[in-house]
Amino acid sequence: MSLRARLLLTLGVTLALLWGIAAAWLLNDLEKKFVETLDQRLAQSARMVAGLVLQLPDDVWEQSQTRALSIPPIEGLACQVHSPQGDIIARTHGNMETVLAPGKRGHAYRQEGGNTWRVFTYERGGLVITTADRMDERDMLLNDVIRVAVVPFIVALTGSLIALWVGVWRGLAPLARLRVSLASRHPEALAPVSTYGVPKEIKPLIDALNSLLARVQQTIVREQRFTNDAAHELRTPLTAIKTHLQVAQRAEGAAAKEAIRYAEAGVVRLAHTLDQLLTLARVEGQMRFDDGESSQITEIVEYAIADSAATPAQCQLLGQLPNVCVAMPRELAITALRNLIDNALHHGSSNAAVTCAVVTLEVTCSDPHCVTFTVHDQGAGVDEATLKQLTQRFWRVSKQQGSGLGLAIVAAIVARFGGSIRFENGETGGFSAHLTVPTSDDAVPMSQT
């Protein structure tokens, strides 16, 4: 069922039900008031007749002893007056003795000749006055009143349903225009949908849609960049491997072995570049990380050093490691720290060890409790222009070292989980990388989205 049909059905049924209940309530009260008003009229007629009869002259009373006075009749209304002795002294109808006979005081219903009468009996000054209304006359009058009340109600209800249909149709028109606009868009068009003239109730929907389009566009751009980067970076080692293998096929002896050795080195470099590219694509592209492992700092540092190219003598820990958890998956935390250690080993002094320190800080970030990993080498450092390019993809200080993706992966990881990366030259020499990430109070950190 469409949204328009659902709204019309729900609102229409609700409106008709509420109006029906209100009409039933109104008609019930109207009928009660109508009956009450006619009963009061009947009683007032009896009282008025009693007052008039008591004011008649004595000669009229003398005539009433020989014959009953005749009162001009009114259609549907009858009246009869009895003396204290029970004699009829005045009446409107001569053939309604049963209906107009004295009875219990007050209102009552009586039957005669297939007709129902509403009777009121009143006593004053010894006189008994009985008045009666014919019920079919009452019912006819009541039906006329109800008809007068119901017709405007039906007209108003019909008009309300028509207004409801028009209002729902016009209210949902922006959704129809949005549907037509989206259906007519080019499949590759990812530009934001215009919100001009859109009702404020629909604007959040379009904002969410534009946000989705922006994320899709970012994903496509990221995929295109990944493809371009991979094609650019893999072409050179593949060409070198192919060249060395061709040389090995044509050469013999030591020359062939040397060519094969260069080809193997190219394969190792190619495999490393592919691994770095896949890691970067996973960090930037995956929507959710949940490896189920706690990110204890002691384990992160231990595994990062073990996975790096450093020997026990090349990497030293300074101070006591804090017993806290990092608010990111352990695998990514280890990857980020390992890349910093490998970078320090590649570009630092070959005669000095790389130092790694972990310091708990109170800094301004997504989590007020953060931890900073500091990796320091004894190299020559870099100039200010180079500091700004360290996290760019495929940027290398030396064309013969690395894939140029290690620090770019670190920057992508910390950006994904609310951390930061900072580089600086040491005051007494060397180069330092400061990796700051938020900590978690949980034993097993929550997965990041």
Side-chain angles (χ1 to χ4, degrees):
M1 182 182 293
S2 67
L3 179 60
R4 180 181 288 108
R6 187 180 294 113
L7 283 174
L8 286 174
L9 179 61
T10 302
L11 296 178
V13 170
T14 302
L15 184 62
L17 183 61
L18 292 177
W19 275 67
I21 293 175
W25 191 356
L26 176 63
L27 292 178
N28 182 61
D29 288 347
L30 177 62
E31 183 177 2
K32 290 181 179 179
K33 291 295 184 182
F34 181 81
V35 172
E36 181 181 348
T37 301
L38 292 182
D39 284 348
Q40 290 177 355
R41 187 194 70 163
L42 195 61
Q44 187 62 29
S45 299
R47 294 187 183 94
M48 183 176 63
V49 171
L52 292 175
V53 171
L54 291 176
Q55 294 179 11
L56 291 175
D58 294 337
D59 57 346
V60 175
W61 286 103
E62 292 177 355
Q63 295 178 10
S64 66
Q65 293 177 2
T66 59
R67 61 184 178 86
L69 296 177
S70 178
I71 303 175
I74 301 175
E75 183 66 26
L77 180 63
C79 178
Q80 187 168 280
V81 182
H82 293 82
S83 65
Q85 292 77 23
D87 298 327
I88 300 174
I89 60 176
R91 61 187 176 187
T92 58
H93 297 75
N95 58 348
M96 296 180 57
E97 288 83 0
T98 303
V99 174
L100 299 176
K104 186 178 180 180
R105 306 300 182 260
H107 292 88
Y109 289 101
R110 295 180 184 177
Q111 296 280 343
E112 181 174 308
N115 293 323
T116 303
W117 292 79
R118 181 66 165 169
V119 179
F120 179 76
T121 303
Y122 176 69
E123 182 178 359
R124 180 179 176 184
L127 299 176
V128 178
I129 297 92
T130 304
T131 55
D133 267 344
R134 203 167 65 190
M135 289 303 300
D136 57 351
E137 295 287 340
R138 281 194 173 196
D139 294 340
M140 186 181 301
L141 181 59
L142 178 60
N143 291 334
D144 291 339
V145 173
I146 291 177
R147 188 180 302 110
V148 171
V150 169
V151 170
F153 165 79
I154 295 177
V155 172
L157 177 60
T158 304
S160 298
L161 292 177
I162 294 175
L164 175 64
W165 184 86
V166 174
V168 170
W169 183 82
R170 296 190 61 183
L172 295 179
L175 284 178
R177 291 195 296 268
L178 177 62
R179 177 184 59 81
V180 173
S181 175
L182 293 178
S184 61
R185 286 169 68 96
H186 191 275
E188 297 182 358
L190 296 176
V193 179
S194 175
T195 58
Y196 177 77
V198 173
K200 64 179 181 180
E201 291 82 4
I202 303 179
K203 191 173 183 301
L205 172 64
I206 298 182
D207 291 340
L209 177 62
N210 289 336
S211 177
L212 175 61
L213 291 175
R215 293 196 299 270
V216 171
Q217 187 175 27
Q218 291 174 359
T219 301
I220 294 176
V221 170
R222 185 166 56 244
E223 296 297 333
Q224 292 176 344
R225 183 171 59 180
F226 174 81
T227 303
N228 295 336
D229 292 343
H232 178 268
E233 288 300 316
L234 298 182
R235 185 181 297 112
T236 300
L238 283 175
T239 302
I241 292 171
K242 182 178 179 180
T243 301
H244 290 308
L245 290 177
Q246 290 175 347
V247 171
Q249 289 177 349
R250 298 175 182 176
E252 297 180 357
K257 292 182 179 179
E258 183 70 11
I260 291 176
R261 187 177 66 81
Y262 280 126
E264 290 177 347
V267 171
V268 172
R269 178 184 174 188
L270 179 61
H272 178 69
T273 302
L274 281 174
D275 182 65
Q276 296 284 64
L277 280 171
L278 292 176
T279 300
L280 185 60
R282 179 170 178 260
V283 172
E284 291 184 340
Q286 187 167 338
M287 295 300 297
R288 184 177 180 87
F289 291 91
D290 189 3
D291 56 12
E293 298 288 344
S294 60
S295 299
Q296 290 285 346
I297 286 183
T298 54
E299 295 180 350
I300 292 173
V301 175
E302 177 184 350
Y303 289 134
I305 294 176
D307 291 347
S308 69
T311 62
Q314 289 179 308
C315 190
Q316 300 176 359
L317 288 175
L318 300 181
Q320 185 72 23
L321 296 178
N323 186 22
V324 295
C325 290
V326 174
M328 69 167 57
R330 184 173 66 171
E331 175 189 351
L332 298 184
I334 293 172
T335 299
L337 184 57
R338 181 197 64 205
N339 286 0
L340 291 181
I341 295 175
D342 286 340
N343 184 76
L345 290 173
H346 291 158
H347 302 288
S349 174
S350 58
N351 299 323
V354 173
T355 60
C356 179
V358 181
V359 182
T360 302
L361 298 176
E362 294 283 344
V363 298
T364 302
C365 59
S366 59
D367 187 335
H369 301 283
C370 295
V371 64
T372 297
F373 298 88
T374 299
V375 178
H376 180 77
D377 63 61
Q378 299 299 325
V382 297
D383 54 37
E384 293 297 326
T386 302
L387 281 176
K388 300 178 180 179
Q389 305 180 65
L390 289 178
T391 57
Q392 293 183 7
R393 297 184 181 191
F394 305 110
W395 187 88
R396 309 179 186 88
V397 176
S398 172
K399 295 297 182 182
Q400 287 74 33
Q401 290 184 330
S403 63
L405 289 173
L407 296 182
I409 292 174
V410 176
I413 291 174
V414 297
R416 182 68 181 271
F417 295 95
S420 63
I421 181 70
R422 181 172 57 88
F423 305 100
E424 64 177 358
N425 294 308
E427 296 180 358
T428 58
F431 181 78
S432 297
H434 305 283
L435 173 65
T436 301
V437 295
T439 60
S440 172
D441 295 332
D442 301 329
V444 179
M446 298 295 292
S447 60
Q448 305 293 323
T449 56

